Amino acid sequence: QVQLVVSGGGLVQAGGSLRLSCAASGRTFSNYGMGWFRQAPGKEREFVAAISSIGGLTYYADSVKGRFTISRDNAKNTLYLQMNSLKPEDTAVYSCATKPPLSGSYYNENEYRYWGQGTQVTVSS
């Protein structure tokens, strides 16, 4: 079992920045790939970014590439998402999730096992 607590959301103007954190407890954090997903009102959940277990590989949705940066600190059992140049279309509930070793695509939410509770990010125009 892994528990994930997400923090750092809020209200920001377009062009601003936020950093989300996902603190993990339970099984060894460094064994898992990690991902960020988001869900806007009336839309399906979508992939945002992911990172391999030791941080050597990162993956991004085209919509956030160049603006968002995913990182992790395995010593602190924490995952981060630095979001810059935010746009109103980034408004959503953001969640983190764990991806077991040797499972499938980082882009597929069905490959993730444990999920955090989500945090609201609202970008005003």
Side-chain angles (χ1 to χ4, degrees):
Q1 189 78 12
V2 177
Q3 293 79 40
L4 302 172
V5 178
V6 182
S7 61
L11 173 64
V12 64
Q13 289 188 332
S17 298
L18 284 174
R19 188 175 82 154
L20 305 184
S21 298
C22 171
S25 60
R27 292 187 178 180
T28 306
F29 177 72
S30 60
N31 287 347
Y32 291 89
M34 298 293 297
W36 287 101
F37 290 79
R38 67 187 182 186
Q39 187 167 20
K43 295 187 177 181
E44 294 186 351
R45 184 161 56 190
E46 64 174 359
F47 171 81
V48 175
I51 189 167
S52 61
S53 58
I54 58 172
L57 298 173
T58 57
Y59 308 84
Y60 294 95
D62 288 343
S63 59
V64 307
K65 203 171 292 182
R67 300 188 297 121
F68 290 12
T69 302
I70 188 171
S71 62
R72 63 190 298 162
D73 186 338
N74 286 344
K76 295 182 178 180
N77 285 359
T78 303
L79 173 74
Y80 302 100
L81 185 68
Q82 178 66 44
M83 305 185 294
N84 298 329
S85 302
L86 283 160
K87 304 176 180 180
E89 51 265 42
D90 294 318
T91 295
V93 174
Y94 285 71
S95 302
C96 62
T98 65
K99 182 180 174 298
L102 304 180
S103 59
S105 170
Y106 279 91
Y107 297 92
N108 184 354
E109 66 177 89
N110 295 319
E111 298 295 337
Y112 291 79
R113 180 171 296 176
Y114 299 108
W115 291 80
Q117 84 284 7
T119 188
Q120 177 70 47
V121 171
T122 302
V123 184
S124 63
S125 57

